[in-house]
Amino acid sequence: MKKLLALAFILSFAFGNAQISAFQKADSKYERKKTALYNKYPKPNDLRTKLEWLLTEDKITSYKNALDKIAEEDKKALANDPPVKTKLAKDAEYEAGKTAFQKTLYDAVDLAFLNFASDSYKATLNFVVDSKGNALDAQVKGNNEDVNAFIEAAFYRIKEKGKWKPAEVNGKPVSSTVSIPLILSFKK
């Protein structure tokens, strides 16, 4: 039994790191190609701008592919522990508070490479905290699908940096949906 539990822990740890490494791999590839592009075209010009946009599109696609794989795994986990639809006696709580969670998330969102037209971006992050306190199934609702993907990726990058206490009904832990409004500022 102990060996089985150890194997399950190792597999979950490996999967969690695989999720993050998919984002790191996309970031590394983007930075490497961007550096080569800037070495080839040190001065800004139309061709460099076009090629840089293609690199950005490739990074966005890589992130979305990684998020699709994570979503499949999260759906499987939630099939056994779906969020309750009844009134909760106690909402799910982040150990350091929602404000601390938002700050950690804001710090993890890297959108500097996007040439976004606005100074800020409003969105809502929805996810499930299962009955064991695991944060799963992040979905961001905002006006830009690409920005939403990078916010979701940031969620998965930080989800192991803090603990969630599950919601309760009649004193028992249950899965529930958490909704957090976000306002991100873009650095120009």
Side-chain angles (χ1 to χ4, degrees), residues 76-121:
K76 289 176 188 175
L78 290 174
N80 298 326
D81 192 9
V84 296
K85 304 284 186 211
T86 60
K87 184 164 173 54
L88 301 171
K90 184 177 173 186
D91 290 330
E93 298 175 353
Y94 190 66
E95 66 183 352
K98 282 189 180 179
T99 304
F101 176 77
Q102 285 175 307
K103 181 181 179 343
T104 304
L105 182 68
Y106 290 153
D107 291 346
V109 176
D110 179 16
L111 300 171
F113 70 95
L114 286 177
N115 188 11
F116 201 68
S118 177
D119 290 340
S120 65
Y121 184 75

Side-chain angles (χ1 to χ4, degrees), residues 81-88 128-129 167-169 173-177:
D81 192 9
V84 296
K85 304 284 186 211
T86 60
K87 184 164 173 54
L88 301 171
V128 174
V129 175
E168 292 181 5
V169 172
V174 295
S175 290
S176 66
T177 303

Side-chain angles (χ1 to χ4, degrees), residues 41 63 106:
Y41 302 102
Y63 266 59
Y106 290 153

Side-chain angles (χ1 to χ4, degrees), residues 64-76:
K64 287 181 179 178
N65 289 339
L67 288 168
D68 287 344
K69 289 177 184 174
I70 293 168
E72 287 177 28
E73 293 298 319
D74 283 358
K75 297 288 185 217
K76 289 176 188 175

Side-chain angles (χ1 to χ4, degrees), residues 8 26 28 30 54-55 58 65-66 69 80 86-87 100 104 108 111 124 134 146-147 158 163 166 183-184 188:
S28 176
Y30 172 79
L54 291 173
L55 290 177
D58 187 42
N65 289 339
K69 289 177 184 174
N80 298 326
T86 60
K87 184 164 173 54
T104 304
L111 300 171
T124 303
N134 299 312
D146 297 339
V147 174
I158 67 159
K163 303 269 186 213
I183 300 175
L184 294 143
K188 297 218 176 197

